[in-house]
Amino acid sequence: TLFSLPAFSSYTKIANNGSTLAAGAALGSAAGDWACTRDNVTGLTWEIKTATNTDLRYSGHAYTWYNSDGATNGGDAGRANGGTCSGGTGCDTEKFVADVNAVALCTYTDWRMPTRRELLSIVLNGTSSPAIDSAYFPDIVGNYYWSTDTYAPITAVAWFVFFSAGGAYYDMKSNTNYV
């Protein structure tokens, strides 16, 4: 199956309170501060990482891949609470999604892990370390970011996007990567 990326990207900054912001808006925790980015091509809204190590959305937190739903985990739930994150408990992808939904980031309560193809849609081709538009996705560690997709041949493995170079690869669900 082939996947075609859009020929251009267009983003809008979204505030914690859900309002649309100017391109120069600053990242922050106040209601009117930037916290999310909407991709105007795909319509997807992305949570933005921060540089504050006590913040839920800190870019340095790493998570194991975990999905307790047998209908969507590819036959292997992965590893619960195996990462390193704020508070030190629930450091897995399922708990992170639940935590972001609990705070209603940018007024949304239906956050989920992106698919591999969705993650690839924000790769900025022709750049590296990180291969993403840092004006709209700051504090991205040029490393591995989990997708929701299990690697079908090996159910203990899931897909990630490598934002240092921009490609999609796979790793053991028990290993720690970013979200």
Side-chain angles (χ1 to χ4, degrees):
T1 302
L2 297 176
F3 178 66
S4 178
L5 295 175
F8 65 95
S9 59
S10 170
Y11 299 112
T12 300
K13 291 182 177 183
I14 307 296
N16 283 293
N17 65 11
S19 63
T20 300
L21 299 169
L27 190 62
S29 58
D33 291 341
W34 173 38
C36 299
T37 294
R38 182 177 56 239
D39 182 332
N40 299 316
V41 175
T42 65
L44 295 172
T45 299
W46 298 89
E47 161 256 348
I48 299 305
K49 296 299 179 190
T50 72
T52 305
N53 67 0
T54 56
D55 190 346
L56 168 66
R57 298 179 295 120
Y58 174 54
S59 62
H61 291 157
Y63 303 83
T64 50
W65 193 100
Y66 182 70
N67 177 351
S68 62
D69 184 351
T72 60
N73 68 17
D76 186 314
R79 180 177 174 205
N81 195 32
T84 55
C85 65
S86 186
T89 60
C91 300
D92 59 61
T93 56
E94 183 174 85
K95 178 68 166 108
F96 179 75
V97 169
D99 289 348
V100 172
N101 279 316
V103 299
L105 181 63
C106 298
T107 72
Y108 294 107
T109 57
D110 61 349
W111 290 97
R112 62 175 175 80
M113 290 293 295
T115 67
R116 171 177 36 124
R117 289 182 178 186
E118 288 168 342
L119 271 176
L120 285 168
S121 77
I122 60 172
V123 166
L124 184 57
N125 293 319
T127 64
S128 62
S129 297
I132 195 167
D133 186 339
S134 59
Y136 288 92
F137 299 93
D139 299 316
I140 293 293
V141 178
N143 219 320
Y144 306 156
Y145 284 77
W146 285 122
S147 78
T148 193
D149 300 329
T150 293
Y151 178 66
I154 307 169
T155 61
V157 171
W159 286 97
F160 65 83
V161 169
F162 184 40
F163 276 103
S164 184
Y169 307 93
Y170 47 86
D171 196 7
M172 297 296 297
K173 292 176 179 179
S174 59
N175 289 338
T176 58
N177 292 309
Y178 301 97
V179 295

